[in-house]
Amino acid sequence: MKNQDYDKDRLEVVFSPETIQSRIRELGREINEFYRGRPLVAVCVLKGAFIFFADLVRELDLDVTIDFVRLSSYADRTARQDRILFSKDMETSVVGRDVLVIEDIVDTGHSMAFLVKVLNARGPNSVRIAALVDKYERREAEVRVDFSGFKLREGFIVGYGLDYAEKYRHKPGIYELTPGQGETS
Ligand code: IMP
Ligand code: MG
């Protein structure tokens, strides 16, 4: 199917659907080992992590409760992590529980630094991060990615949940995007 706007961008495969699926199976095994016998609250960071989350939680052989958050940032002159807020908060209590935040990509780290700080203040037993892609070159905030799918130095990627102006989230692989020429926005 052709779509003119769509066709202006260039997409090059970085991680194929098969590569992603086999890495997620390994990650699932790691997480199962790590939390063996303990109940887990798995938190999906919307929107970008929705496909990764759905695939990863199905690999978990644990007592899992799922929940969702959505973060948004706003313009302010204070520290970067203070410019982030919830546009949707969790509904599950994390008190005394092990929490695994499942995120698409950690870039500067400000989003995850904010979320981990806020969740830790709510009295959980632990808060850890699983990220499909740990994109480390632009890291500014100190964040420990406990379970990382792939490491990537740089570049803008789309697909498998990740978007460029809300496009490409539905694509099955992960692609490096070169925006099309001649676009006005
Ligand atoms: P951070 O606060 O800079 O770590 O921002 C991370 C968020 O930025 C991710 O959850 C994504 O939503 C978005 N992001 C960062 N890099 C990319 C990318 O290469 N493609 C798509 N979204 C990205
Ligand atoms: Mg995101």
Side-chain angles (χ1 to χ4, degrees):
M1 249 211 302
K2 287 262 176 185
N3 173 310
Q4 281 200 316
D5 184 38
Y6 208 71
D7 281 347
K8 285 180 189 162
D9 300 327
R10 201 159 51 101
L11 267 57
E12 273 181 88
V13 179
V14 179
F15 305 114
S16 70
E18 296 74 23
T19 301
I20 296 169
Q21 292 312 320
S22 81
R23 183 67 189 117
I24 287 176
R25 280 192 294 275
E26 290 172 359
L27 270 184
R29 281 196 291 273
E30 251 182 80
I31 294 168
N32 285 331
E33 282 293 310
F34 188 84
Y35 291 102
R36 179 79 43 217
R38 285 144 66 190
L40 184 69
V41 180
V43 181
C44 174
V45 184
L46 295 170
K47 298 178 184 173
F50 81 111
I51 296 179
F52 175 47
F53 182 82
D55 284 346
L56 185 60
V57 294
R58 282 180 288 177
E59 297 296 327
L60 302 183
D61 182 20
L62 300 164
D63 174 1
V64 176
T65 302
I66 70 161
D67 209 338
F68 301 87
V69 297
R70 183 149 195 232
L71 303 176
S72 59
S73 43
Y74 60 95
D76 192 348
R77 287 206 217 91
T78 55
R80 290 278 294 274
Q81 46 282 48
D82 295 335
R83 296 186 205 161
I84 298 165
L85 43 82
F86 285 103
S87 50
K88 189 222 171 293
D89 200 343
M90 294 177 65
E91 292 161 19
T92 309
S93 167
V94 300
V95 177
R97 306 177 79 178
D98 292 304
V99 179
L100 181 64
V101 173
I102 300 179
E103 170 66 314
D104 54 1
I105 174 164
V106 179
D107 183 16
T108 66
H110 289 295
S111 312
M112 284 305 95
F114 164 83
L115 187 56
V116 167
K117 187 174 90 177
V118 171
L119 296 180
N120 269 322
R122 296 178 179 176
N125 185 54
S126 69
V127 178
R128 289 192 166 76
I129 297 175
L132 181 62
V133 179
D134 181 357
K135 190 167 81 176
Y136 55 88
E137 192 183 47
R138 307 200 313 151
R139 194 63 41 81
E140 291 172 4
E142 210 179 296
V143 170
R144 192 184 66 237
V145 180
D146 303 277
F147 305 98
S148 152
F150 302 104
K151 292 205 194 300
L152 195 66
R153 184 139 77 89
E154 58 180 359
F156 193 85
I157 53 178
V158 297
Y160 198 73
L162 289 159
D163 76 309
Y164 169 64
E166 295 301 328
K167 294 195 296 186
Y168 307 118
R169 291 194 194 275
H170 65 295
K171 305 281 280 180
I174 293 184
Y175 314 84
E176 174 144 20
L177 176 115
T178 309
Q181 301 301 304
E183 276 188 323
T184 48
S185 58

